[in-house]
């Protein structure tokens, strides 16, 4: 029996015991742009899996409890994917690890700040692009409500009350229309 809690002194995640049947290797490329892009794709795929489960199996069975419970997890997964994709794009330009750490400290989880940093590092302008303006407005709206990326991770915090002071109906179809077939 494996004890996944690992409650013992001096826990070492890299220790492999002599009789260990399960060896896990966490491998990264060593480049944040590549690793964050991969993580963004993984978070997106996980969100897609959840939304399809909710829209197909859970909805067919009228399993409202699953729809209610998994909706916010799905939104968090999409949001995390977007955050990592923005950071991956920034780190295609900023390759110095010291500066990368400073950038992560500066933007933290704020999607609007991340997009602004991407515009700054790539010397881009958004005034001429309706799509870029729309994206800035969209990310600004998300950041206004969830700049710390905790709205859907920790639903019992003080900020959560800002969104749901009364019962709110949320459309799964509006969140993920059947016509969406996006892949990074």
């Amino acid at each position: 029996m494996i004890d996944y809690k690992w409650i013992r002194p001096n826990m070492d995640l890299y220790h492999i015991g002599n009789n260990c049947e399960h060896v896990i290797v966490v491998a990264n490329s060593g480049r944040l742009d590549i690793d964050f892009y991969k993580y963004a794709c993984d978070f997106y795929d996980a969100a897609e899996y959840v939304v399809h489960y909710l829209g197909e199996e859970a909805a067919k069975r009228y399993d409202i409890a699953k729809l209610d419970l998994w909706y916010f997890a799905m939104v968090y997964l999409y949001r995390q994917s977007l955050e990592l994709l923005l950071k991956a794009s920034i780190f295609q330009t900023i390759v110095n690890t010291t500066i990368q750490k400073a950038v992560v400290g500066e933007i933290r989880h704020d999607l609007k700040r991340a997009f602004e940093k991407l515009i700054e590092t790539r010397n881009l302008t958004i005034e001429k692009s309706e799509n870029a303006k729309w994206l800035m407005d969209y990310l600004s709206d998300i950041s206004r409500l969830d700049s710390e990326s905790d709205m859907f991770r920790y639903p019992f915090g003080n900020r959560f009350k800002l969104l749901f002071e009364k019962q709110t109906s949320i459309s799964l179809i509006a969140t993920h229309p059947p016509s969406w077939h996006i892949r990074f």
Side-chain angles (χ1 to χ4, degrees), residues 55-104:
E56 295 162 12
E57 292 181 45
K60 286 178 188 171
R61 289 190 244 143
Y62 299 102
D63 193 343
I64 301 302
K66 281 207 175 76
L67 290 167
D68 286 348
L69 288 171
W70 282 96
Y71 183 82
F72 295 109
M74 174 201 61
V75 171
Y76 168 74
L77 292 167
Y78 280 126
R79 189 210 181 286
Q80 189 67 14
S81 174
L82 186 53
E83 178 183 329
L84 288 164
L85 188 61
L86 285 166
K87 288 178 179 176
S89 298
I90 292 167
F91 294 147
Q92 286 177 330
T93 304
I94 298 174
V95 296
N96 179 291
T97 56
T98 303
I99 298 172
Q100 287 175 336
K101 288 177 186 178
V103 166
V104 168

Side-chain angles (χ1 to χ4, degrees), residues 18-160:
N18 294 337
N19 298 324
C20 184
E21 296 175 30
H22 308 284
V23 177
I24 298 172
V25 175
V26 177
N28 289 320
S29 70
R31 288 187 45 195
L32 285 180
D33 61 323
I34 292 169
D35 294 336
F36 280 10
Y37 178 79
K38 180 191 178 309
Y39 299 154
C41 292
D42 291 344
F43 272 94
Y44 180 84
D45 290 344
E48 285 288 293
Y49 180 80
V50 172
V51 76
H52 285 283
Y53 171 77
L54 293 177
E56 295 162 12
E57 292 181 45
K60 286 178 188 171
R61 289 190 244 143
Y62 299 102
D63 193 343
I64 301 302
K66 281 207 175 76
L67 290 167
D68 286 348
L69 288 171
W70 282 96
Y71 183 82
F72 295 109
M74 174 201 61
V75 171
Y76 168 74
L77 292 167
Y78 280 126
R79 189 210 181 286
Q80 189 67 14
S81 174
L82 186 53
E83 178 183 329
L84 288 164
L85 188 61
L86 285 166
K87 288 178 179 176
S89 298
I90 292 167
F91 294 147
Q92 286 177 330
T93 304
I94 298 174
V95 296
N96 179 291
T97 56
T98 303
I99 298 172
Q100 287 175 336
K101 288 177 186 178
V103 166
V104 168
E106 175 188 334
I107 62 179
R108 304 192 41 81
H109 299 289
D110 191 317
L111 298 179
K112 178 182 179 255
R113 279 192 198 167
F115 190 52
E116 289 170 341
K117 191 60 155 179
L118 178 63
I119 291 167
E120 175 192 322
T121 58
R122 298 265 180 105
N123 258 343
L124 303 172
T125 58
I126 65 168
E127 290 77 29
K128 296 178 183 178
S129 170
E130 288 301 314
N131 290 336
K133 284 189 231 177
W134 178 90
L135 182 58
M136 180 59 85
D137 289 343
Y138 179 73
L139 297 176
S140 295
D141 194 40
I142 292 172
S143 290
R144 181 178 56 80
L145 296 171
D146 189 29
S147 64
E148 311 236 350
S149 185
D150 58 1
M151 185 67 65
F152 301 107
R153 273 193 292 180
Y154 310 115
F156 306 110
N158 292 333
R159 296 206 56 192
F160 196 73

Side-chain angles (χ1 to χ4, degrees), residues 11-22:
M11 180 58 207
D12 180 2
L13 292 175
Y14 296 101
H15 173 76
I16 300 174
N18 294 337
N19 298 324
C20 184
E21 296 175 30
H22 308 284

